[in-house]
Amino acid sequence: WSSDVCSSDLLSLALGPLAVYFTLFGLINLRRTPFLTTGARDTAALALAVSGLVIIGPIELFMPEGAMINFGPYALGLALAFYVLTMTLLILLQKPSLTVYNISPVEFRPILVEVVGHLDPHARWAGNSLVLPDLQIELHVDSFAPMRNITLVAVGDQQSFSGWRRFESHLAVALAKMEVARNPIGAGMVIVGLAMVSVMMVQLAGNADEVVQALREMLRLQQ
């Protein structure tokens, strides 16, 4: 950038999606019921959260100067399209997985056993690994105790996506009936997210002209 001021102004804008991500993630952890999502949605949300930092970081640093001169803001649009396509490809290449937020392993295990028993009486356990032959899925159960997160990750390449969808729907119904304690970490994440939004708003309110100037320079709208 032409100055450190421009960099800080654009950084405040870039932190916007990340601030929203922190706030929403904190609210999810403050729910009284667990929250179930797929690994694909989780990755897509994270990609969106860091998109602002990617724009002012790697995309800007590695953008060919000639492309910016010749195509102006369209070059940035092409770079963003490349980022979206890359993340889409990574999501499509991911193994099926499910993530459950705001639940401990002790609380989750009975629910999982109940759902598995209802879906597939031939299911087999081996430690934290589970095989459901009737659904044609095999998975491993991982947990992250500090954040109260559970991840169910596919093991092996022979997976039935329809089996995973059926497993997800039944697990979602079972989890919706649960009531769990609020995760204290959620409050901290909400505070961090709102603090980032506040800093961004103050920065934008006090340096509106500088922000516009920085955007014009990034998009090469003026020489």
Side-chain angles (χ1 to χ4, degrees):
W1 311 112
S2 60
S3 68
D4 292 337
V5 174
C6 290
S7 296
S8 63
D9 292 333
L10 286 179
L11 180 60
S12 65
L13 281 178
L15 290 177
L18 190 61
V20 173
Y21 178 83
F22 267 94
T23 303
L24 292 179
F25 195 75
L27 291 175
I28 286 174
N29 280 277
L30 288 175
R31 289 162 48 104
R32 294 303 301 269
T33 56
F35 181 80
L36 173 67
T37 187
T38 65
R41 297 190 199 111
D42 221 12
T43 303
L46 183 59
L48 183 61
V50 301
S51 60
L53 298 176
V54 171
I55 292 174
I56 70 168
I59 287 183
E60 174 65 15
L61 289 175
F62 296 104
M63 177 73 68
E65 186 66 24
M68 292 300 297
I69 293 174
N70 293 323
F71 299 104
Y74 297 107
L76 182 60
L78 292 173
L80 287 174
F82 176 75
Y83 173 70
V84 171
L85 291 174
T86 300
M87 294 310 302
T88 301
L89 177 62
L90 291 177
I91 290 173
L92 291 175
L93 292 176
Q94 276 186 328
K95 291 184 177 181
S97 64
L98 298 173
T99 301
V100 187
Y101 291 107
N102 195 27
I103 189 170
S104 67
V106 174
E107 294 171 315
F108 180 71
R109 186 76 176 214
I111 296 296
L112 179 59
V113 171
E114 178 184 349
V115 171
V116 169
H118 176 71
L119 286 175
D120 190 347
H122 303 104
R124 302 187 305 273
W125 283 92
N128 287 328
S129 296
L130 173 64
V131 178
L132 291 84
D134 291 354
L135 295 183
Q136 298 180 27
I137 65 177
E138 183 177 353
L139 59 89
H140 182 78
V141 182
D142 288 325
S143 62
F144 186 52
M147 289 295 296
R148 292 173 51 120
N149 294 344
I150 305 292
T151 304
L152 310 175
V153 186
V155 177
D157 298 326
Q158 302 299 320
Q159 302 287 336
S160 169
F161 290 98
S162 62
W164 273 95
R165 287 194 295 269
R166 186 181 173 194
F167 178 54
E168 177 190 355
S169 63
H170 281 74
L171 186 59
V173 171
L175 290 172
K177 301 175 183 178
M178 285 193 65
E179 183 172 325
V180 295
R182 303 181 192 276
N183 189 349
I185 293 180
M189 299 190 71
V190 170
I191 292 174
V192 171
L194 294 179
M196 293 171 66
V197 172
S198 300
V199 171
M200 180 180 66
M201 297 303 294
V202 170
Q203 183 78 4
L204 295 180
N207 302 283
D209 294 338
E210 288 82 356
V211 172
V212 173
Q213 176 70 15
L215 286 173
R216 290 178 63 87
E217 290 185 9
M218 184 182 73
L219 296 175
R220 305 302 195 271
L221 294 179
Q222 65 180 26
Q223 302 297 329

